[in-house]
Amino acid sequence: MGANRRMAAFDEMSGFDGATRDAYAKLETWLKTTPPEEFSTRRSQADVFFRRIGITFAVYGDEQSTERLIPFDIIPRVITGPEWARLDRGLRQRVTALNMFLKDIYGPKECLKARIIPDDLIYRNAGYCLQMINQPVPHDLYVHIAGIDIVRVDADNFYVLEDNARTPSGVSYMLENREVMLRLFPELFAQHRVAPVENYPDALLATLRSLAPRTAAKDPNVVLLTPGQFNSAFYEHSFLADKLGIELVEGTDLFVRDEVVYMRTTQGPKRVDVIYRRIDDDYIDPLAFRADSVLGVPGLISAYKAGNVTLTNAVGTGVSDDKAVYSYMPEIVKFYTGEEPVLKNVPTFRCREPDALKYVLDNLGDLVVKEVNGSGGYGMLVGPHATKAQIETFRKKLKHEPEGFIAQPTLALSTCPTFVASGVAPRHVDLRPFVLTGSDGIRCVPGGLTRVALKDGSLVVNSSQGGGTKDTWVLDA
Amino acid sequence: MLSRTADSLYWVSRYVERAEYLARILEATTRLSNLPSSYGGAASEWISAVKTAGCGEIFPQHHDSATESSVHHFLCFSPDNPSSIRNCIEVARSNARAVRTALTSEMWDALNGAWLELKKYDGKKLTRDDYGRFIEFVKALSLTFDGSAYRTMLRSDAYWFSRLGVYVERADNTARILDVKYHVLLPETEKVGGSLDYFQWTTILREVSALTAYHWVYRESIKPWLVADLLIFNRQMPRSLASCYENISRFLDAIGDSYSRQGPAQRMARKTLSTLANRKITDIYDHGLHEFITDFINDNNRLGSTISEQYLI
């Protein structure tokens, strides 16, 4: 179906016109001159490596297995030094604005007074946490670890597709993909000057330590809170805890006494200062939020509100992940930083607005429709690839609850050469860089996670929907 | 360290040790049951194997008779048996995964590799040869896992808790063999029933991989009271109760020293160790081997709960 409606996409290696871009010249030679058997050997080595280290990932709703490998493609995705410099500037600007925005909407609400964004978009937002209103957070920072999803459409234009300000995942793949590539293709690294990413765990630890409450001991106790080994990202939780040298705790390992959080150790209770939590707000404290949660820590929010523990990310950041709020990000960036946004937004139709809704309903076949608070590629309609029945289902949903949706034109995401059954073929990719914000500044390692849609023509890169990953190379200029 | 981490490390080791023990029982029993019946080979060996494995109560709920194939299946793979070898490996691996960061990568590789290997046996009808290979595979797993722990772990509380699991489980396993087979381990003063029992004794020694060790230690033909002596008192024999308690006490002391605090677990272990050091096999026979073993199993279980209360919850 999608084939005849496919748009010409910019290819990371060969642009629109088939002429190899400079950054990819050596890779192209490598692809052309390496015998196919060599590639298949290397690919199976990569597979064995990932399986042995247990870097698996669970797919919800998949009864076949609780653990699955995310397909890894050995052809790297390359970003030039100048391209990265611009992305880096844009990412820092955007995350700075996100933090100021959250501080504002949970505090003085200047942006509402200035009519930058409609009131009800905040007040009626499922991610807006009433408990956080006028609640100070350590160092006035909310989003300490952000994953900003970026897509490219041509030689010059990168767009932000969405902001992940809750608990973005995928950084372990960024790190492990690089390790595998270094093992499999040392000669490629000798030919390219690839900026390293291995300092990410150090940067993360420094960020987390900088966020400890001011009352904490000089050597703060930082832990990573996981929902447990049946969570889809458990591998990443355990990987990061190991790299950072911090305890990987589950809810039952923590308890709260007199508004202070402790962990149960073989030597008795030990005070906890910073919790890098990978549990959603709803589940983090059964006394404050969902009472049926068995993953959280009763009383945690009381300790948090008392200022005795830092939660990263802060509670209530989900409001900025909302895709209708996203559509105001250019204005938000300008309002708080006083600068023009470096990174563009994808043009977005807010279905809550009658004119936009009418346009969207008339053009469903050409648009991508997303739930405002969905994630992971769930609850999404890709018009050009959808069946009639799927389109009609969305039409009903849209009419029933227009404020629950936004729509965007189907972008021709850039493609990158990828190994598939028939050989090497272009496949759509995106990029998730990770931006760290501590009380001592912003850190962003060059690169991120490149996700690739392995199905021909597919635009859905999410690993839960059959996407794969690639190593991402930022070339040192 | 987190109590849960210590708990998982302790149980990972216990389950790996148990898996190996089950493999050894199956191996020794297969050998015994293949002997002509005039040498003691009898179908009744299979029910004895089930009891030694600690499944005497649940096995009859699922099988009418204990045969080579039903027992192999039950002890290796049966989902009805919570202590099957497969379950031991799965639980060990699941515990290991939950505390992946507390294990060295070698230990994780050993367990995760075994867990992946296990899938090859899924839903297959196994021949006697296949079972033979499976038993070898399980023994290799425990050697690799144990060796990795010994060679790669930092000597800190994580290592000590992991070692404790090995020895508490091992003490339980050796005691269970004695518990099921005590009636063939007669004291020196009793008249021995002839060659039939000889193969029972060698089977016991095989189950604790001590057949050769026996000869090196006693330098004489196999006598049942010496088999009992070897399994209970001989500190050179790594599966003897005395050796297990020497280690349990050593590792509990290491934990106590590093935390600068002793507790009931240390005291209990020391008491059992001193009992084992001060008694002789003849005293045991005077008071009854079976009573001694029953008391030992109960004390060992109590130590397990005490360790748990003191450190793991």
Side-chain angles (χ1 to χ4, degrees), chain A residues 51-54 56 67 229 234 238 241-242 247-250 253 263-267, chain B residues 1-4 6 93-94 97-98 100-101 108-109 112-113 115 157 161 259 311:
Chain A
R51 211 170 268 290
R52 289 304 290 201
I53 60 171
T56 55
E67 293 173 34
Q229 63 167 315
F234 179 74
S238 125
D242 194 30
E247 289 288 356
L248 177 65
V249 302
E250 296 180 11
D253 295 324
M263 62 184 191
R264 295 174 218 274
T265 80
T266 52
Q267 298 182 75
Chain B
M1 75 190 305
L2 283 180
S3 297
R4 181 175 53 84
R93 195 261 184 184
S94 160
R97 189 163 181 263
R100 170 67 193 82
T101 56
W108 168 251
D109 270 358
N112 195 44
W115 179 78
D157 44 3
F161 280 111
Y259 294 173
Y311 295 113

mmCIF file of all heavy atoms in Angstrom, chain A residues 51-54 56 67 229 234 238 241-242 247-250 253 263-267, chain B residues 1-4 6 93-94 97-98 100-101 108-109 112-113 115 157 161 259 311:
data_model
loop_
_atom_site.group_PDB
_atom_site.id
_atom_site.type_symbol
_atom_site.label_atom_id
_atom_site.label_comp_id
_atom_site.label_asym_id
_atom_site.label_seq_id
_atom_site.Cartn_x
_atom_site.Cartn_y
_atom_site.Cartn_z
ATOM 1 N N ARG A 51 23.387 -11.278 22.848
ATOM 2 C CA ARG A 51 22.666 -12.289 23.589
ATOM 3 C C ARG A 51 23.431 -12.714 24.842
ATOM 4 O O ARG A 51 22.857 -12.906 25.904
ATOM 5 C CB ARG A 51 22.389 -13.501 22.698
ATOM 6 C CG ARG A 51 21.115 -14.201 23.059
ATOM 7 C CD ARG A 51 20.733 -15.242 22.024
ATOM 8 N NE ARG A 51 19.852 -14.745 20.984
ATOM 9 C CZ ARG A 51 18.585 -14.406 21.161
ATOM 10 N NH1 ARG A 51 18.034 -14.505 22.333
ATOM 11 N NH2 ARG A 51 17.866 -13.980 20.158
ATOM 12 N N ARG A 52 24.744 -12.841 24.689
ATOM 13 C CA ARG A 52 25.541 -13.268 25.840
ATOM 14 C C ARG A 52 25.470 -12.245 26.960
ATOM 15 O O ARG A 52 25.379 -12.612 28.132
ATOM 16 C CB ARG A 52 27.020 -13.457 25.466
ATOM 17 C CG ARG A 52 27.339 -14.633 24.600
ATOM 18 C CD ARG A 52 26.882 -15.945 25.150
ATOM 19 N NE ARG A 52 27.618 -16.396 26.331
ATOM 20 C CZ ARG A 52 27.648 -17.667 26.711
ATOM 21 N NH1 ARG A 52 27.050 -18.603 26.000
ATOM 22 N NH2 ARG A 52 28.280 -18.020 27.796
ATOM 23 N N ILE A 53 25.567 -10.968 26.627
ATOM 24 C CA ILE A 53 25.538 -9.992 27.711
ATOM 25 C C ILE A 53 24.119 -9.802 28.240
ATOM 26 O O ILE A 53 23.924 -9.163 29.244
ATOM 27 C CB ILE A 53 26.137 -8.625 27.317
ATOM 28 C CG1 ILE A 53 25.369 -8.031 26.150
ATOM 29 C CG2 ILE A 53 27.608 -8.762 26.973
ATOM 30 C CD1 ILE A 53 25.773 -6.613 25.861
ATOM 31 N N GLY A 54 23.153 -10.411 27.570
ATOM 32 C CA GLY A 54 21.786 -10.346 28.098
ATOM 33 C C GLY A 54 21.103 -9.020 27.839
ATOM 34 O O GLY A 54 20.213 -8.630 28.575
ATOM 35 N N THR A 56 18.591 -7.602 26.558
ATOM 36 C CA THR A 56 17.312 -7.950 25.959
ATOM 37 C C THR A 56 16.281 -6.927 26.370
ATOM 38 O O THR A 56 16.537 -6.050 27.177
ATOM 39 C CB THR A 56 16.857 -9.333 26.411
ATOM 40 O OG1 THR A 56 16.832 -9.340 27.837
ATOM 41 C CG2 THR A 56 17.780 -10.397 25.896
ATOM 42 N N GLU A 67 11.740 -11.958 26.881
ATOM 43 C CA GLU A 67 12.998 -11.292 26.572
ATOM 44 C C GLU A 67 13.311 -11.439 25.094
ATOM 45 O O GLU A 67 13.227 -12.510 24.531
ATOM 46 C CB GLU A 67 14.140 -11.921 27.377
ATOM 47 C CG GLU A 67 14.009 -11.661 28.862
ATOM 48 C CD GLU A 67 15.042 -12.435 29.655
ATOM 49 O OE1 GLU A 67 16.153 -12.621 29.145
ATOM 50 O OE2 GLU A 67 14.714 -12.853 30.758
ATOM 51 N N GLN A 229 12.823 -6.876 37.258
ATOM 52 C CA GLN A 229 13.366 -7.520 36.069
ATOM 53 C C GLN A 229 12.336 -7.851 35.002
ATOM 54 O O GLN A 229 12.705 -8.261 33.913
ATOM 55 C CB GLN A 229 14.173 -8.751 36.432
ATOM 56 C CG GLN A 229 13.388 -9.849 37.096
ATOM 57 C CD GLN A 229 14.224 -11.137 37.120
ATOM 58 O OE1 GLN A 229 14.827 -11.501 36.124
ATOM 59 N NE2 GLN A 229 14.262 -11.806 38.247
ATOM 60 N N PHE A 234 14.581 -3.348 31.873
ATOM 61 C CA PHE A 234 15.367 -3.766 33.047
ATOM 62 C C PHE A 234 16.850 -3.884 32.742
ATOM 63 O O PHE A 234 17.696 -3.510 33.537
ATOM 64 C CB PHE A 234 14.864 -5.089 33.626
ATOM 65 C CG PHE A 234 15.679 -5.545 34.808
ATOM 66 C CD1 PHE A 234 15.539 -4.918 36.031
ATOM 67 C CD2 PHE A 234 16.625 -6.557 34.682
ATOM 68 C CE1 PHE A 234 16.313 -5.293 37.125
ATOM 69 C CE2 PHE A 234 17.405 -6.936 35.769
ATOM 70 C CZ PHE A 234 17.245 -6.305 36.985
ATOM 71 N N SER A 238 19.877 -2.138 35.012
ATOM 72 C CA SER A 238 20.952 -2.855 35.665
ATOM 73 C C SER A 238 22.308 -2.456 35.063
ATOM 74 O O SER A 238 23.302 -2.286 35.767
ATOM 75 C CB SER A 238 20.628 -4.354 35.580
ATOM 76 O OG SER A 238 21.639 -5.080 35.015
ATOM 77 N N ALA A 241 23.205 1.063 36.502
ATOM 78 C CA ALA A 241 23.592 1.004 37.916
ATOM 79 C C ALA A 241 25.018 0.475 38.023
ATOM 80 O O ALA A 241 25.837 0.972 38.799
ATOM 81 C CB ALA A 241 22.626 0.111 38.694
ATOM 82 N N ASP A 242 25.312 -0.525 37.202
ATOM 83 C CA ASP A 242 26.645 -1.117 37.225
ATOM 84 C C ASP A 242 27.702 -0.109 36.775
ATOM 85 O O ASP A 242 28.736 0.055 37.412
ATOM 86 C CB ASP A 242 26.636 -2.344 36.309
ATOM 87 C CG ASP A 242 27.859 -3.210 36.522
ATOM 88 O OD1 ASP A 242 28.369 -3.233 37.660
ATOM 89 O OD2 ASP A 242 28.302 -3.863 35.565
ATOM 90 N N GLU A 247 23.643 1.497 43.688
ATOM 91 C CA GLU A 247 22.767 0.358 43.947
ATOM 92 C C GLU A 247 21.545 0.407 43.027
ATOM 93 O O GLU A 247 20.955 1.460 42.813
ATOM 94 C CB GLU A 247 22.275 0.346 45.398
ATOM 95 C CG GLU A 247 23.345 0.003 46.420
ATOM 96 C CD GLU A 247 23.777 -1.472 46.400
ATOM 97 O OE1 GLU A 247 23.204 -2.282 45.636
ATOM 98 O OE2 GLU A 247 24.710 -1.790 47.167
ATOM 99 N N LEU A 248 21.190 -0.771 42.509
ATOM 100 C CA LEU A 248 19.960 -0.923 41.738
ATOM 101 C C LEU A 248 18.896 -1.386 42.723
ATOM 102 O O LEU A 248 18.952 -2.510 43.206
ATOM 103 C CB LEU A 248 20.169 -1.971 40.649
ATOM 104 C CG LEU A 248 18.961 -2.302 39.791
ATOM 105 C CD1 LEU A 248 18.541 -1.096 38.975
ATOM 106 C CD2 LEU A 248 19.272 -3.473 38.867
ATOM 107 N N VAL A 249 17.952 -0.520 43.051
ATOM 108 C CA VAL A 249 16.982 -0.888 44.079
ATOM 109 C C VAL A 249 15.590 -1.081 43.485
ATOM 110 O O VAL A 249 15.255 -0.500 42.457
ATOM 111 C CB VAL A 249 16.902 0.177 45.204
ATOM 112 C CG1 VAL A 249 18.261 0.377 45.847
ATOM 113 C CG2 VAL A 249 16.368 1.497 44.671
ATOM 114 N N GLU A 250 14.822 -1.927 44.142
ATOM 115 C CA GLU A 250 13.398 -2.051 43.820
ATOM 116 C C GLU A 250 12.629 -1.377 44.952
ATOM 117 O O GLU A 250 13.198 -1.101 46.017
ATOM 118 C CB GLU A 250 13.014 -3.530 43.704
ATOM 119 C CG GLU A 250 13.731 -4.195 42.541
ATOM 120 C CD GLU A 250 13.378 -5.677 42.369
ATOM 121 O OE1 GLU A 250 12.430 -6.143 43.027
ATOM 122 O OE2 GLU A 250 14.071 -6.336 41.586
ATOM 123 N N ASP A 253 13.087 -2.413 48.483
ATOM 124 C CA ASP A 253 14.388 -2.201 49.125
ATOM 125 C C ASP A 253 14.442 -0.870 49.871
ATOM 126 O O ASP A 253 15.380 -0.609 50.609
ATOM 127 C CB ASP A 253 15.515 -2.195 48.077
ATOM 128 C CG ASP A 253 15.663 -3.535 47.405
ATOM 129 O OD1 ASP A 253 15.483 -4.545 48.096
ATOM 130 O OD2 ASP A 253 15.950 -3.575 46.197
ATOM 131 N N MET A 263 17.505 2.732 52.490
ATOM 132 C CA MET A 263 17.469 1.430 51.832
ATOM 133 C C MET A 263 17.870 0.351 52.835
ATOM 134 O O MET A 263 18.632 0.597 53.768
ATOM 135 C CB MET A 263 18.370 1.406 50.598
ATOM 136 C CG MET A 263 19.836 1.638 50.838
ATOM 137 S SD MET A 263 20.678 1.683 49.227
ATOM 138 C CE MET A 263 22.391 1.633 49.742
ATOM 139 N N ARG A 264 17.293 -0.840 52.642
ATOM 140 C CA ARG A 264 17.587 -1.953 53.544
ATOM 141 C C ARG A 264 18.881 -2.620 53.100
ATOM 142 O O ARG A 264 18.962 -3.137 51.994
ATOM 143 C CB ARG A 264 16.482 -3.012 53.449
ATOM 144 C CG ARG A 264 15.136 -2.543 53.918
ATOM 145 C CD ARG A 264 14.086 -3.619 53.631
ATOM 146 N NE ARG A 264 12.840 -3.004 53.219
ATOM 147 C CZ ARG A 264 11.906 -2.578 54.088
ATOM 148 N NH1 ARG A 264 12.079 -2.761 55.369
ATOM 149 N NH2 ARG A 264 10.803 -2.002 53.643
ATOM 150 N N THR A 265 19.871 -2.608 53.962
ATOM 151 C CA THR A 265 21.122 -3.261 53.602
ATOM 152 C C THR A 265 21.434 -4.349 54.622
ATOM 153 O O THR A 265 20.777 -4.452 55.670
ATOM 154 C CB THR A 265 22.306 -2.267 53.570
ATOM 155 O OG1 THR A 265 22.747 -2.042 54.913
ATOM 156 C CG2 THR A 265 21.923 -0.951 52.921
ATOM 157 N N THR A 266 22.457 -5.131 54.308
ATOM 158 C CA THR A 266 22.865 -6.198 55.226
ATOM 159 C C THR A 266 23.425 -5.619 56.527
ATOM 160 O O THR A 266 23.624 -6.342 57.482
ATOM 161 C CB THR A 266 23.938 -7.075 54.563
ATOM 162 O OG1 THR A 266 24.978 -6.249 54.070
ATOM 163 C CG2 THR A 266 23.344 -7.872 53.412
ATOM 164 N N GLN A 267 23.697 -4.314 56.519
ATOM 165 C CA GLN A 267 24.182 -3.682 57.744
ATOM 166 C C GLN A 267 23.155 -2.729 58.325
ATOM 167 O O GLN A 267 23.509 -1.781 59.014
ATOM 168 C CB GLN A 267 25.467 -2.909 57.476
ATOM 169 C CG GLN A 267 26.581 -3.798 57.017
ATOM 170 C CD GLN A 267 27.856 -3.013 56.803
ATOM 171 O OE1 GLN A 267 28.520 -2.619 57.749
ATOM 172 N NE2 GLN A 267 28.191 -2.769 55.557
ATOM 173 N N MET B 1 25.730 -3.691 51.541
ATOM 174 C CA MET B 1 25.006 -4.019 50.323
ATOM 175 C C MET B 1 23.533 -4.203 50.626
ATOM 176 O O MET B 1 23.155 -4.437 51.766
ATOM 177 C CB MET B 1 25.603 -5.277 49.683
ATOM 178 C CG MET B 1 25.254 -6.564 50.391
ATOM 179 S SD MET B 1 26.206 -7.990 49.780
ATOM 180 C CE MET B 1 25.850 -7.936 48.064
ATOM 181 N N LEU B 2 22.709 -4.118 49.557
ATOM 182 C CA LEU B 2 21.276 -4.295 49.746
ATOM 183 C C LEU B 2 21.001 -5.702 50.264
ATOM 184 O O LEU B 2 21.600 -6.665 49.793
ATOM 185 C CB LEU B 2 20.556 -4.155 48.410
ATOM 186 C CG LEU B 2 20.343 -2.768 47.845
ATOM 187 C CD1 LEU B 2 19.617 -2.893 46.514
ATOM 188 C CD2 LEU B 2 19.525 -1.918 48.803
ATOM 189 N N SER B 3 20.061 -5.810 51.188
ATOM 190 C CA SER B 3 19.686 -7.126 51.697
ATOM 191 C C SER B 3 19.188 -8.015 50.565
ATOM 192 O O SER B 3 19.495 -9.204 50.508
ATOM 193 C CB SER B 3 18.586 -6.986 52.749
ATOM 194 O OG SER B 3 19.078 -6.258 53.841
ATOM 195 N N ARG B 4 18.423 -7.411 49.650
ATOM 196 C CA ARG B 4 17.886 -8.221 48.555
ATOM 197 C C ARG B 4 19.002 -8.763 47.662
ATOM 198 O O ARG B 4 18.928 -9.880 47.156
ATOM 199 C CB ARG B 4 16.905 -7.391 47.714
ATOM 200 C CG ARG B 4 16.280 -8.154 46.560
ATOM 201 C CD ARG B 4 15.241 -7.307 45.846
ATOM 202 N NE ARG B 4 15.773 -6.021 45.447
ATOM 203 C CZ ARG B 4 16.456 -5.813 44.328
ATOM 204 N NH1 ARG B 4 16.682 -6.797 43.491
ATOM 205 N NH2 ARG B 4 16.923 -4.613 44.043
ATOM 206 N N ALA B 6 22.087 -9.468 48.641
ATOM 207 C CA ALA B 6 22.722 -10.558 49.374
ATOM 208 C C ALA B 6 21.853 -11.811 49.295
ATOM 209 O O ALA B 6 22.340 -12.924 49.084
ATOM 210 C CB ALA B 6 22.936 -10.138 50.827
ATOM 211 N N ARG B 93 19.001 -18.203 37.526
ATOM 212 C CA ARG B 93 19.235 -17.190 36.503
ATOM 213 C C ARG B 93 18.361 -15.952 36.732
ATOM 214 O O ARG B 93 18.792 -14.816 36.534
ATOM 215 C CB ARG B 93 18.966 -17.805 35.130
ATOM 216 C CG ARG B 93 19.503 -16.978 33.964
ATOM 217 C CD ARG B 93 18.430 -16.167 33.368
ATOM 218 N NE ARG B 93 18.847 -15.423 32.198
ATOM 219 C CZ ARG B 93 18.045 -14.586 31.567
ATOM 220 N NH1 ARG B 93 16.819 -14.415 31.993
ATOM 221 N NH2 ARG B 93 18.463 -13.918 30.536
ATOM 222 N N SER B 94 17.129 -16.193 37.161
ATOM 223 C CA SER B 94 16.238 -15.068 37.402
ATOM 224 C C SER B 94 16.739 -14.229 38.591
ATOM 225 O O SER B 94 16.746 -13.001 38.553
ATOM 226 C CB SER B 94 14.834 -15.614 37.625
ATOM 227 O OG SER B 94 14.038 -14.683 38.278
ATOM 228 N N ARG B 97 19.720 -12.335 37.392
ATOM 229 C CA ARG B 97 19.385 -11.218 36.527
ATOM 230 C C ARG B 97 18.953 -10.016 37.364
ATOM 231 O O ARG B 97 19.282 -8.871 37.049
ATOM 232 C CB ARG B 97 18.273 -11.646 35.572
ATOM 233 C CG ARG B 97 18.002 -10.641 34.493
ATOM 234 C CD ARG B 97 17.224 -11.257 33.351
ATOM 235 N NE ARG B 97 17.008 -10.277 32.329
ATOM 236 C CZ ARG B 97 15.878 -9.565 32.220
ATOM 237 N NH1 ARG B 97 14.890 -9.775 33.047
ATOM 238 N NH2 ARG B 97 15.759 -8.665 31.269
ATOM 239 N N ALA B 98 18.223 -10.305 38.445
ATOM 240 C CA ALA B 98 17.751 -9.221 39.299
ATOM 241 C C ALA B 98 18.917 -8.494 39.966
ATOM 242 O O ALA B 98 18.818 -7.324 40.298
ATOM 243 C CB ALA B 98 16.790 -9.755 40.348
ATOM 244 N N ARG B 100 22.127 -8.559 38.637
ATOM 245 C CA ARG B 100 23.154 -8.731 37.622
ATOM 246 C C ARG B 100 24.444 -7.974 37.969
ATOM 247 O O ARG B 100 25.549 -8.462 37.767
ATOM 248 C CB ARG B 100 22.577 -8.245 36.287
ATOM 249 C CG ARG B 100 23.517 -8.095 35.123
ATOM 250 C CD ARG B 100 24.057 -9.429 34.653
ATOM 251 N NE ARG B 100 25.172 -9.225 33.739
ATOM 252 C CZ ARG B 100 26.411 -8.985 34.128
ATOM 253 N NH1 ARG B 100 26.701 -8.922 35.396
ATOM 254 N NH2 ARG B 100 27.366 -8.816 33.249
ATOM 255 N N THR B 101 24.277 -6.793 38.543
ATOM 256 C CA THR B 101 25.453 -5.955 38.780
ATOM 257 C C THR B 101 26.314 -6.475 39.928
ATOM 258 O O THR B 101 27.456 -6.086 40.059
ATOM 259 C CB THR B 101 25.022 -4.522 39.126
ATOM 260 O OG1 THR B 101 24.156 -4.592 40.254
ATOM 261 C CG2 THR B 101 24.286 -3.896 37.982
ATOM 262 N N TRP B 108 27.853 -14.355 35.359
ATOM 263 C CA TRP B 108 26.619 -14.144 34.611
ATOM 264 C C TRP B 108 26.641 -14.947 33.306
ATOM 265 O O TRP B 108 25.670 -15.610 32.951
ATOM 266 C CB TRP B 108 26.425 -12.652 34.317
ATOM 267 C CG TRP B 108 25.352 -12.407 33.321
ATOM 268 C CD1 TRP B 108 25.505 -11.994 32.043
ATOM 269 C CD2 TRP B 108 23.952 -12.611 33.508
ATOM 270 N NE1 TRP B 108 24.293 -11.924 31.415
ATOM 271 C CE2 TRP B 108 23.323 -12.294 32.282
ATOM 272 C CE3 TRP B 108 23.164 -13.041 34.583
ATOM 273 C CZ2 TRP B 108 21.949 -12.384 32.104
ATOM 274 C CZ3 TRP B 108 21.793 -13.125 34.402
ATOM 275 C CH2 TRP B 108 21.200 -12.800 33.188
ATOM 276 N N ASP B 109 27.767 -14.918 32.612
ATOM 277 C CA ASP B 109 27.900 -15.684 31.369
ATOM 278 C C ASP B 109 27.626 -17.152 31.605
ATOM 279 O O ASP B 109 26.945 -17.803 30.817
ATOM 280 C CB ASP B 109 29.328 -15.554 30.815
ATOM 281 C CG ASP B 109 29.466 -14.378 29.874
ATOM 282 O OD1 ASP B 109 28.439 -13.715 29.645
ATOM 283 O OD2 ASP B 109 30.573 -14.139 29.394
ATOM 284 N N ASN B 112 23.779 -17.468 32.390
ATOM 285 C CA ASN B 112 22.930 -17.084 31.262
ATOM 286 C C ASN B 112 23.156 -18.051 30.097
ATOM 287 O O ASN B 112 22.192 -18.454 29.428
ATOM 288 C CB ASN B 112 23.246 -15.651 30.853
ATOM 289 C CG ASN B 112 22.198 -15.062 29.947
ATOM 290 O OD1 ASN B 112 21.009 -15.227 30.202
ATOM 291 N ND2 ASN B 112 22.624 -14.402 28.879
ATOM 292 N N GLY B 113 24.403 -18.445 29.893
ATOM 293 C CA GLY B 113 24.710 -19.407 28.843
ATOM 294 C C GLY B 113 23.992 -20.728 29.106
ATOM 295 O O GLY B 113 23.414 -21.331 28.196
ATOM 296 N N TRP B 115 21.305 -21.153 30.834
ATOM 297 C CA TRP B 115 19.860 -20.927 30.687
ATOM 298 C C TRP B 115 19.473 -20.964 29.209
ATOM 299 O O TRP B 115 18.434 -21.508 28.834
ATOM 300 C CB TRP B 115 19.519 -19.587 31.332
ATOM 301 C CG TRP B 115 18.090 -19.181 31.246
ATOM 302 C CD1 TRP B 115 17.062 -19.644 32.007
ATOM 303 C CD2 TRP B 115 17.531 -18.205 30.364
ATOM 304 N NE1 TRP B 115 15.900 -19.017 31.654
ATOM 305 C CE2 TRP B 115 16.157 -18.131 30.652
ATOM 306 C CE3 TRP B 115 18.062 -17.392 29.360
ATOM 307 C CZ2 TRP B 115 15.303 -17.274 29.981
ATOM 308 C CZ3 TRP B 115 17.202 -16.538 28.704
ATOM 309 C CH2 TRP B 115 15.848 -16.488 29.012
ATOM 310 N N ASP B 157 31.596 -8.737 50.992
ATOM 311 C CA ASP B 157 30.395 -9.421 51.471
ATOM 312 C C ASP B 157 29.641 -10.150 50.360
ATOM 313 O O ASP B 157 29.064 -11.208 50.597
ATOM 314 C CB ASP B 157 29.479 -8.485 52.264
ATOM 315 C CG ASP B 157 29.297 -7.126 51.617
ATOM 316 O OD1 ASP B 157 29.840 -6.920 50.507
ATOM 317 O OD2 ASP B 157 28.619 -6.270 52.204
ATOM 318 N N PHE B 161 28.499 -13.976 50.939
ATOM 319 C CA PHE B 161 27.106 -14.452 50.915
ATOM 320 C C PHE B 161 26.925 -15.522 49.836
ATOM 321 O O PHE B 161 26.190 -16.490 50.028
ATOM 322 C CB PHE B 161 26.128 -13.296 50.694
ATOM 323 C CG PHE B 161 25.853 -12.510 51.943
ATOM 324 C CD1 PHE B 161 26.305 -11.208 52.090
ATOM 325 C CD2 PHE B 161 25.159 -13.090 52.998
ATOM 326 C CE1 PHE B 161 26.075 -10.496 53.257
ATOM 327 C CE2 PHE B 161 24.914 -12.382 54.168
ATOM 328 C CZ PHE B 161 25.381 -11.082 54.301
ATOM 329 N N TYR B 259 31.519 -6.230 59.182
ATOM 330 C CA TYR B 259 30.447 -5.354 59.676
ATOM 331 C C TYR B 259 30.668 -4.981 61.148
ATOM 332 O O TYR B 259 29.821 -4.322 61.752
ATOM 333 C CB TYR B 259 29.082 -6.042 59.556
ATOM 334 C CG TYR B 259 28.619 -6.306 58.123
ATOM 335 C CD1 TYR B 259 27.474 -7.059 57.888
ATOM 336 C CD2 TYR B 259 29.314 -5.788 57.027
ATOM 337 C CE1 TYR B 259 27.035 -7.313 56.595
ATOM 338 C CE2 TYR B 259 28.883 -6.048 55.729
ATOM 339 C CZ TYR B 259 27.748 -6.807 55.528
ATOM 340 O OH TYR B 259 27.311 -7.062 54.252
ATOM 341 N N TYR B 311 20.454 -11.023 57.963
ATOM 342 C CA TYR B 311 21.044 -10.231 56.869
ATOM 343 C C TYR B 311 20.166 -10.012 55.638
ATOM 344 O O TYR B 311 20.345 -9.054 54.915
ATOM 345 C CB TYR B 311 22.326 -10.917 56.368
ATOM 346 C CG TYR B 311 23.428 -10.978 57.382
ATOM 347 C CD1 TYR B 311 23.837 -12.194 57.907
ATOM 348 C CD2 TYR B 311 24.056 -9.807 57.808
ATOM 349 C CE1 TYR B 311 24.868 -12.255 58.840
ATOM 350 C CE2 TYR B 311 25.085 -9.858 58.733
ATOM 351 C CZ TYR B 311 25.485 -11.084 59.253
ATOM 352 O OH TYR B 311 26.490 -11.127 60.160
#
